[in-house]
């Protein structure tokens, strides 16, 4: 493989990992270069196995040696050795993990294909926090959710922080954005109904059904296909979105407490879904 | 109430909130001043309602006005008005929330009293991360867990970050440290058995029982008292701790995925416990 040592921080071959935290020019901005950046051996290995075309691997010599000893990489993949100091200057901060890969974004799978192949999906609305998006993917993957669908107002799942927090699961679990604008995206939920999905809103509303009841029919059998809708912490799902679902479900909370973190609530719903299927 | 405006950052009355992030002299270090620091109106109000003796309230004038309009505070509680600049210099960083309270630590409730009054407790071992401790308390409070017990090697629940992440629930949910050293603390779990607790270890081990089965007896009735044991992310519970429990329980994970975040796993166990009791 074409392994090269780069000492000059201005070398354009390092542009893929330049200014990683700089808000305007960071390489993972969808409007800019729109790359996917993976950090650390686990996430880099998941990027290499993913549908995203990997452009290059960058790392400290020892970290590259260790990684390449254990992983097969395409023979024509550029691999760049850099010192800790050089990488810190290029990235804009000290990257102590010392191993990065950059890939191009790839088109999303078609919604119909996702829906046909899935038994359980989660639909997010207004989830603007990259860390929550990442945790959501990690929890979804861990508990057998087949895909993540985005309604309006969600943060970019391929932002570096989301990729990292997800432990690379945003690179593995299929996701797609539902069409429409802020006020109309909910209409595309009918596509899910058309595919036979039972649509379940998650809400703290005490009048909603217990989550355990919402995921089974009136003879206690699990629904064949379930879509769990989750809104942002605080505002929750819009009424518009909830009206497009079959049922509203709640996780019972002790009196006088606050609602759970978004990714935690979703994890509980994923668990209950999996439990209903056992 | 004795409300005073303080402009001099060196004023000793501000020592309770001085160098808040400084690793050696921060006022919430157990070995040092050992104070409890609350930030923001919600957590400050929970501190005022707690068993911890509040020493003073410090804030921007507008933030204090807003808080004192809505909350009763003891007539003799010192209240200090400071500017944003003064507070930033005292604390060592910009505290944009602009409202703080400091309290003394208070003795832990007696373990026997906690155990007699509790139906569900969680026992932590080796959980060294303050954020995980805080999330654990938030989730425990939200889902009706009565107390948090600490085995060996856990981070301080009253550290500022734990208090903040818990949304103040470390100030409300009773907690206590179990006795003994690294290798002997597990013996004190017998006190829990003596109080009739069913001890349940949480583990990713595929040979363990499904969580749902572990929380009910062989006639599907929930155990009257349950203690859930949770270890650190990564190493998990020590074998020694698991051997002291009645049953090992797992949250089923999809193949090829990673274990869940510690506080998320615990939240699922709290949910299942609450579900078994409905």
């Amino acid at each position: 493989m074409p392994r090269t040592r780069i000492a000059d921080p201005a070398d354009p071959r390092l542009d893929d990992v330049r200014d990683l935290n700089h808000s305007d020019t960071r390489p993972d901005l969808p409007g800019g270069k729109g790359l996917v950046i993976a950090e650390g051996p686990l996430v880099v290995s998941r990027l290499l196995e993913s549908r995203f075309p990997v452009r290059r691997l960058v790392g400290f010599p020892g970290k590259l040696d260790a990684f390449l000893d254990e992983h097969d990489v395409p023979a024509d993949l550029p691999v760049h050795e850099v010192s800790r100091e050089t990488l810190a200057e290029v990235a804009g901060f000290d990257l102590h993990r010392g191993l990065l890969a950059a890939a191009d974004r790839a088109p999303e799978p078609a919604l119909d294909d996702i829906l046909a192949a899935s038994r359980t999906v989660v639909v997010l609305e207004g989830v603007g926090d990259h860390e929550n998006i990442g945790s959501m993917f990690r929890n979804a993957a861990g508990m057998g959710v087949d895909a993540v669908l985005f309604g309006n107002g969600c943060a970019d799942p391929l932002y570096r922080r989301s990729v990292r927090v997800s432990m690379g699961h945003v690179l593995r679990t299929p996701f797609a954005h539902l069409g429409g604008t802020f006020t109309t995206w909910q209409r595309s939920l009918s596509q899910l109904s058309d595919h036979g999905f039972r649509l379940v809103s998650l809400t703290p509303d005490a009048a909603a059904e217990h989550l355990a009841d919402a995921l089974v029919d009136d003879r206690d059998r699990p629904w064949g296909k379930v879509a769990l809708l989750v809104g942002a912490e605080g505002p929750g799902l819009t009424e518009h979105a909830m009206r497009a679902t079959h049922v509203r479900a709640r996780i019972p909370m002790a009196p006088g407490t606050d609602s759970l973190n978004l990714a935690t609530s979703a994890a509980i719903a994923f668990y209950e879904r999996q439990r209903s299927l056992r």
Side-chain angles (χ1 to χ4, degrees), chain A residues 68-89:
Chain A
L68 296 169
D69 271 357
E70 288 193 8
H71 299 87
D72 287 324
V73 308
D76 58 348
L77 180 71
V79 175
H80 305 314
E81 263 183 51
V82 291
S83 69
R84 185 161 183 162
E85 295 67 33
T86 299
L87 186 56
E89 193 170 336

Side-chain angles (χ1 to χ4, degrees), chain A residues 138-152:
Chain A
R138 178 181 174 187
N139 295 343
M143 280 179 291
V145 173
D146 302 300
V148 179
L149 303 178
F150 292 101
N152 198 271

Side-chain angles (χ1 to χ4, degrees), chain A residues 9 18 56 59 73-74 80 105 113 130 135 172 196 207 255 265 275:
Chain A
R18 191 174 303 287
R56 63 190 81 244
V73 308
H80 305 314
R105 293 194 179 219
D113 294 343
H130 291 109
S135 302
R172 311 172 113 197
S265 302
R275 186 186 192 289

